[in-house]
């Protein structure tokens, strides 16, 4: 099973497996992926008159590079950037976290996916469509700068998470 490192609980599991595969700390793993779009149009005269001359094209939807790792047994980090927009590389996720904290579980600080809907926890690598729904984009806080605490139950069947994050100049 391929686990999404941004989903609650999966990051430490994956890094723990890498650590015990003969790697010493600090541990840094580079990852990334590309999603390429292609549009080819065939128009009759009526469609061309109504829509205009639609141009064929190819472009990157996403071009991401990620460094993810562990500094100590309980300290992890990630830095992920998207290079899909020419001349405008942007940070996607940049955070550090400390795990094994009594009562709080794991505390993450930085820019990351906020706990919420299943849609927000699903990686873009595993979406059924090219993008998330319009309702999700309008209502879900998704990636924000903030502080989050999360953990798993003893049997690892239940996860919990809560966060405080910035929304422009205010805090939610």
């Amino acid at each position: 099973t391929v686990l999404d490192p941004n989903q609650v609980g999966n990051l430490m599991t994956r890094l723990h497996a890498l650590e015990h595969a003969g790697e010493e700390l600090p541990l840094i793993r580079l990852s990334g992926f590309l999603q390429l779009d292609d549009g080819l149009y065939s128009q009759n005269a009526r469609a061309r008159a109504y829509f205009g001359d639609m141009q064929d094209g190819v472009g990157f939807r996403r071009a991401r590079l990620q460094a993810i790792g562990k500094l100590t047994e309980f300290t992890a980090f990630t830095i992920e950037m998207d290079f899909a927009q020419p001349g405008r590389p942007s940070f996607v996720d940049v955070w550090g976290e400390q795990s094994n904290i009594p009562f709080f579980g794991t505390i993450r600080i930085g820019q990351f996916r906020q706990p919420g809907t299943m849609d927000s926890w699903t990686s873009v690598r595993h979406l059924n469509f090219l993008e998330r729904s319009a309702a999700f984009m309008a209502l879900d806080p998704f990636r924000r700068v903030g502080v989050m605490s999360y953990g798993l139950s003893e049997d690892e069947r239940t996860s919990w998470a809560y966060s405080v994050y910035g929304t422009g100049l205010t805090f939610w």
Side-chain angles (χ1 to χ4, degrees):
T1 305
V2 177
L3 299 174
D4 180 0
N6 292 312
Q7 191 162 350
V8 173
N10 291 344
L11 172 68
M12 287 305 201
T13 303
R14 291 182 71 188
L15 291 174
H16 184 72
L18 286 173
E19 178 184 328
H20 287 69
E23 299 287 336
E24 297 293 325
L25 292 175
L27 174 67
I28 300 172
R29 182 178 142 251
L30 295 178
S31 179
F33 68 97
L34 302 171
Q35 291 181 336
L36 187 67
D37 283 345
D38 179 21
L40 301 174
Y41 301 100
S42 175
Q43 293 179 281
N44 60 27
R46 184 174 175 197
R48 188 171 286 115
Y50 186 78
F51 294 109
D53 188 16
M54 298 192 311
Q55 301 295 309
D56 297 343
V58 176
F60 287 104
R61 181 171 292 275
R62 295 174 184 90
R64 295 192 180 166
L65 182 61
Q66 179 184 42
I68 188 170
K70 286 178 78 170
L71 298 176
T72 68
E73 184 179 356
F74 302 114
T75 306
F77 70 92
T78 192
I79 299 171
E80 184 176 9
M81 292 195 71
D82 192 345
F83 296 93
Q85 298 295 322
R88 292 189 53 208
S90 58
F91 288 109
V92 178
D93 287 319
V94 179
W95 51 259
E97 70 179 20
Q98 185 72 31
S99 63
N100 209 25
I101 298 174
F103 183 72
F104 293 104
T106 300
I107 294 181
R108 180 179 291 181
I109 300 172
Q111 178 171 301
F112 50 87
R113 290 191 232 179
Q114 294 300 316
T117 64
M118 196 64 182
D119 211 4
S120 66
W121 285 116
T122 303
S123 170
V124 293
R125 298 176 188 192
H126 308 317
L127 292 177
N128 292 326
F129 300 99
L130 292 174
E131 294 293 340
R132 291 178 168 87
S133 70
F136 168 82
M137 299 304 281
L139 301 174
D140 198 288
F142 202 44
R143 282 190 170 92
R144 301 277 190 212
V145 174
V147 178
M148 173 173 66
S149 177
Y150 70 89
L152 292 170
S153 64
E154 290 294 323
D155 62 4
E156 295 186 357
R157 292 181 177 210
T158 306
S159 65
W160 57 268
Y162 57 91
S163 72
V164 176
Y165 56 89
T167 59
L169 298 175
T170 63
F171 277 86
W172 178 279

